Amino acid sequence: MGASWTPPRAPRGTADILPEQVHAWHRVERTAAELAERYGYRELRTPAFEALELFARGMGEGTEVVEKEMFLLAPSGRARVEAGPGEAPDAGPRAQAPAGGHGAGGAEPLALRPEFTAGVVRAYRQHGLDKTRGLLKVYSIGPLFRYERPQKGRQRQFHQVNLEALGTGDPRAELELIAFAQDLLGALGIPDFAVRLNSIGCAQCRPGYRERVRALLQPRRERLCANCRARLDRNAFRVLDCKLCAEHTADLPPMAEQLCAACAEHFAAVRAGLELLDVPYRIDARLVRGFDYYTRTVFEFPSGRLGAQDALGGGGRYDRLIPDMGGPELGACGLAFGIERLLLAMDPAATGSAAAEAAERARRAAAVYVAATPEPGPRAAALELVTELRRAGLEAEFDLAGKSLKAQLRAADKAGFGWVVIVGPEELARGEVALRQMAAGHQQRLPRAELLARLAPAVPLAARPAR
Ligand code: HAM
């Protein structure tokens, strides 16, 4: 044997989700999926990596995520990790792009997806759904990757529930999404639902506003943070979003007052719809969101239960993305919730280990433990029985750790199994088993052939195999 080797820990900003934590994840994922289906959204699964160019074009070259947070991929053999200055040992994510870049033997720079939207629009275009379907409502649930500085509610691998409605310019599409958000948070028991809402206009009305903001901020340039000084030249609009510079931008005119007639009408329809549905919302003139693709309506869902990263989710309309990806002039909108943040905002009683333990005990109460004495015959019989019970639709367990019969019985009792089947040499010779009903403390011998019929009432109907 070689020298002992300690494997590296999971990378910074990632987390293992252990079996006792998965219970809460299932609750969020299943609730979100069922609700999305009820709203007419169907699941779409796209790859976890795509061409880097897709994200650069989709989210915008100059956005924070594309500029600083992409995990680039290169095939092994050609990969060479470049650590940025002073970045060891937690080296940057940037592997050198395959030699030759575009067009070299089909090698194109690839990146792990930092969001779902760009990949969803790519799939919509690639499969011609813009032509055959027009409207497509899809949801996706899965991991995403951003090279951010990890903190509470911010990871490098995180997960989202994402919904997109492609091929519609109807303001009721945003309203449907916001109603979904309200229902999702309600179903997860997250209190104090509120929407932060803004309209950031379109290609007609935004450039004029951006120029105005730049002109107004130019004389205050030196008072802005370093980031915003750079943003002022590239996209003055983003300065509105900066918390550090809030006091210097407080008096700027809100975008929502500078909208063109069509955008103003759209925004009025969204607000009227929120009132119709009785959804609490607040106009936030500072809300611009971080990606270039947004047009008109943008929104976020804050929670007082989170720290500095207070957005449970966000989204908006992006009417230019389908045409910018070579498709027809069709509008679209979507939203995403961070699953880690939903879990942080949920009541610990619903997500903690006590809840997982209670759910586990409820399952075990209907489950069977097959205990056996240590001889080969009973051990083989236990394997056969446990398999038969499982195939009949019951949850069944047996010992794989070499425990004595006594220890097996103790373990079954401690875990809360509702039924224990015992096989020893004597039972085996007679073609029988002993069946103990744990709650009643009652034990009987019965022919092995009758076991399934005895246990069948414990099998939930849906789990019984169709015959
Ligand atoms: P986003 O605001 O970048 O939007 O992300 C949505 C949510 O994902 C955030 O509110 C947050 O809960 C979660 N999230 C983002 N980054 C992290 C992170 N590093 N760690 C933990 N959670 C995170 C989008 O991604 C858009 N694609 C949403 C959208 C869909 N817009 C239109 N369609």
Side-chain angles (χ1 to χ4, degrees):
M1 280 284 136
S4 83
W5 177 74
T6 312
R9 297 174 63 83
R12 203 156 101 81
T14 70
D16 296 312
I17 302 162
L18 299 175
E20 55 267 32
Q21 298 163 329
V22 148
H23 165 73
W25 282 77
H26 284 168
R27 168 143 182 230
V28 172
E29 290 163 357
R30 287 177 188 156
T31 304
E34 276 173 33
L35 197 60
E37 301 269 348
R38 199 192 301 167
Y39 272 76
Y41 288 72
R42 296 293 175 259
E43 188 177 2
L44 170 67
R45 299 188 185 194
T46 59
F49 61 88
E50 300 261 6
L52 169 64
E53 191 185 11
L54 178 76
F55 301 118
R57 292 283 298 257
M59 304 163 81
E61 299 272 3
T63 58
E64 199 102 341
V65 172
V66 169
E67 247 183 15
K68 300 188 194 147
E69 299 172 4
M70 301 296 287
F71 277 92
L72 304 195
L73 295 174
S76 93
R78 297 203 241 171
R80 186 162 61 81
V81 175
E82 274 178 5
E87 267 206 308
D90 180 20
R94 289 172 185 269
Q96 184 171 290
H102 286 276
E108 55 181 349
L110 299 170
L112 292 179
R113 61 183 180 197
E115 61 138 22
F116 281 112
T117 313
V120 170
V121 175
R122 178 204 47 72
Y124 178 70
R125 292 273 304 118
Q126 184 175 328
H127 301 283
L129 302 174
D130 47 348
K131 296 181 193 75
T132 53
R133 293 258 188 108
L135 181 70
L136 180 73
K137 301 206 304 185
V138 285
Y139 71 94
S140 308
I141 298 176
L144 303 146
F145 309 87
R146 295 184 193 174
Y147 191 72
E148 298 198 78
R149 185 180 294 280
Q151 63 181 77
K152 186 178 165 207
R154 197 162 75 187
Q155 296 191 178
R156 291 180 176 172
Q157 176 173 337
F158 63 99
H159 301 74
Q160 282 182 351
V161 170
N162 184 85
L163 271 68
E164 310 287 356
L166 304 165
T168 172
D170 191 322
R172 290 174 304 169
E174 286 101 302
L175 291 160
E176 174 179 81
L177 289 169
I178 294 170
F180 165 87
Q182 188 176 21
D183 290 357
L184 177 65
L185 300 190
L188 297 177
I190 298 174
D192 307 324
F193 178 83
V195 193
R196 260 189 224 143
L197 183 76
N198 197 16
S199 174
I200 57 169
C202 66
Q204 269 74 51
C205 47
R206 204 184 317 166
Y209 177 70
R210 196 185 288 142
E211 276 317 302
R212 231 179 123 194
V213 169
R214 194 208 309 266
L216 288 167
L217 287 179
Q218 205 54 265
R220 318 173 190 177
R221 193 188 181 92
E222 292 316 309
R223 278 176 274 158
L224 301 179
C225 74
N227 252 345
C228 284
R229 286 200 294 272
R231 284 183 186 138
L232 202 52
D233 300 320
R234 280 188 313 189
N235 186 357
F237 203 55
R238 283 277 160 69
V239 180
L240 293 177
D241 209 15
C242 178
K243 292 198 173 78
L244 292 176
C245 299
E247 59 169 314
H248 307 303
T249 58
D251 61 334
L252 293 181
M255 175 71 217
E257 286 171 15
Q258 321 286 317
L259 299 173
C260 64
C263 287
E265 190 185 326
H266 190 97
F267 196 37
V270 170
R271 289 193 322 245
L274 291 174
E275 274 143 38
L276 179 74
L277 298 179
D278 215 7
V279 175
Y281 72 96
R282 188 168 67 79
I283 303 281
D284 180 352
R286 291 278 165 275
L287 182 66
V288 300
R289 307 242 332 125
F291 307 136
D292 285 354
Y293 53 58
Y294 288 114
T295 53
R296 295 191 166 169
T297 325
V298 288
F299 44 79
E300 265 180 11
F301 306 97
S303 167
R305 292 193 173 186
L306 300 177
Q309 306 298 319
D310 77 339
L312 291 166
R317 175 161 285 287
Y318 50 94
D319 289 340
R320 294 306 313 157
L321 195 53
I322 296 171
D324 282 353
M325 290 201 186
E329 289 287 331
L330 287 173
C333 56
L335 62 70
F337 279 98
I339 298 183
E340 284 81 359
R341 294 199 195 163
L342 291 173
L343 289 166
L344 280 173
M346 281 165 72
D347 189 339
T351 58
S353 56
E357 173 69 12
E360 193 63 35
R361 288 200 88 77
R363 287 176 59 164
R364 291 267 167 79
V368 187
Y369 191 95
V370 181
T373 53
E375 304 80 7
R379 281 163 58 92
L383 169 68
E384 197 186 5
L385 257 177
V386 87
T387 306
E388 188 183 319
L389 294 173
R390 288 167 178 169
R391 289 183 176 162
L394 279 159
E395 185 173 322
E397 190 52 290
F398 67 145
D399 170 55
L400 290 173
K403 286 194 177 95
S404 69
L405 180 64
K406 215 168 138 193
Q408 290 174 50
L409 295 176
R410 220 181 301 124
D413 186 37
K414 189 163 172 238
F417 281 90
W419 303 86
V420 174
V421 175
I422 303 163
V423 204
E426 204 179 313
E427 285 86 358
L428 201 58
R430 296 195 204 187
E432 289 181 347
V433 292
L435 176 64
R436 188 181 291 182
Q437 191 176 1
M438 301 300 277
H442 163 265
Q443 183 166 326
Q444 69 175 130
R445 276 211 179 158
L446 71 166
R448 185 195 183 297
E450 287 173 21
L451 178 65
L452 205 53
R454 249 332 288 288
L455 290 172
V459 185
L461 268 182
R464 286 186 202 169
R467 295 211 186 260

